[in-house]
Amino acid sequence: MNPEHVFVCGHPALDFAATLRARRSTRFEMFGTPERLAAWYLESGVVDALAPCEQADVDRATAVREGVYSLVTARRLGSDYDAEALDLLNEAARQPSAVPQLTQAGRWTRATAQEALSTVARQAVDLLSGPDVPLLKECGNPECTRVYIDRSRGMRRQWCGMESCGNKIKAAAYRARRKSAAA
Ligand SMILES: [Zn+2]
C-alpha cells in the first residue's frame, strides 16, 4: 500500500520534513522506495518531470530531511541549531538546483533527484531565515508531529489539517466526554 503524500504544512520544506510520520510513536517512512520519493517531488510541485530516482537519492533525501526537521524544531523552540544538521542542509543547498524553463505551454521544470533536493534545501534556507519563523507550530495531535505555518488570526489554528488530525482529535474528545458522562 502506498499512502498518499500530503501537503498541509504551508511550505514545501515543512511538508518535506513531515514525510517521516508519527515521529514520537510508530514512525512511518513516506519515502519507502525511490518511486515514493519521486512521487513527492512531482506532487509537491518542486518539479514537473524527474529523471529516475535511485536508492542513493532516497538515502540523501532522508538524511537532509532529518537535518531540516532538526533545524525547524530548533527554530520553533528557540534553541541553537545542531552543527551537523546545518552542514547537511547547506551542503544540499550548495548543489545545482532544479531550473525552471519557459516553454510555449508555460513554466516547465525537469530535474534530477539531486537537483530537486537542492531546491527543497534552498526553500528550507529561505523559510528558516524568513519572516514566517514565529508562525511555526507543531500540530496539536501528539501523534502527528507535523510542523506547519499558522497564518490564522491570533495563531489559533490547532491542527496541521482538519481532515488529517482535527476531526480525529475532535471525535476522540467527543467519545471521551460521552464515556465520562455515562459513568
Ligand atoms: Zn497533524
Side-chain angles (χ1 to χ4, degrees):
M1 186 196 76
N2 281 331
E4 294 291 303
H5 288 310
V6 173
F7 302 90
V8 291
C9 300
H11 192 282
L14 295 176
D15 288 317
F16 185 72
T19 56
L20 181 61
R21 306 288 310 116
R23 287 172 174 273
R24 283 191 288 271
S25 50
T26 50
R27 295 173 69 87
F28 185 82
E29 178 58 72
M30 297 295 288
F31 293 161
T33 63
E35 290 71 29
R36 295 307 294 153
L37 175 64
W40 192 90
Y41 285 138
L42 290 165
E43 290 169 26
S44 64
V46 168
V47 299
D48 299 302
L50 195 74
C53 277
E54 292 169 10
Q55 185 55 42
D57 297 313
V58 174
D59 297 344
R60 251 193 304 271
T62 49
V64 172
R65 177 194 65 196
E66 292 313 291
V68 171
Y69 182 76
S70 157
L71 299 170
V72 166
T73 302
R75 233 356 42 142
R76 195 168 60 74
L77 303 177
S79 46
D80 283 345
Y81 288 138
D82 176 78
E84 201 180 319
L86 274 180
D87 284 348
L88 268 167
L89 178 67
N90 288 329
E91 165 65 26
R94 270 198 301 275
Q95 304 304 313
S97 69
V99 181
Q101 302 281 282
L102 188 64
T103 72
Q104 294 291 353
R107 188 187 155 109
W108 182 255
T109 307
R110 183 183 168 79
T112 64
Q114 212 160 351
E115 290 165 340
L117 180 59
S118 166
T119 297
V120 177
R122 291 179 191 197
Q123 287 168 334
V125 171
D126 283 346
L127 170 70
L128 290 170
S129 58
D132 289 335
V133 166
L135 306 182
L136 294 176
K137 201 190 249 184
E138 186 178 72
C139 178
N141 173 5
E143 286 284 298
C144 172
T145 67
R146 273 195 193 105
V147 176
Y148 58 89
I149 298 176
D150 185 355
R151 296 191 194 284
S152 67
R153 202 198 304 198
M155 280 189 74
R156 292 168 76 174
R157 181 174 152 194
Q158 279 179 284
W159 326 109
C160 64
M162 252 355 252
E163 217 167 289
S164 46
C165 286
N167 290 335
K168 224 184 286 178
I169 292 282
K170 282 192 170 164
Y174 174 73
R175 278 195 303 274
R177 271 199 308 275
R178 242 187 17 179
K179 213 170 140 191
S180 65

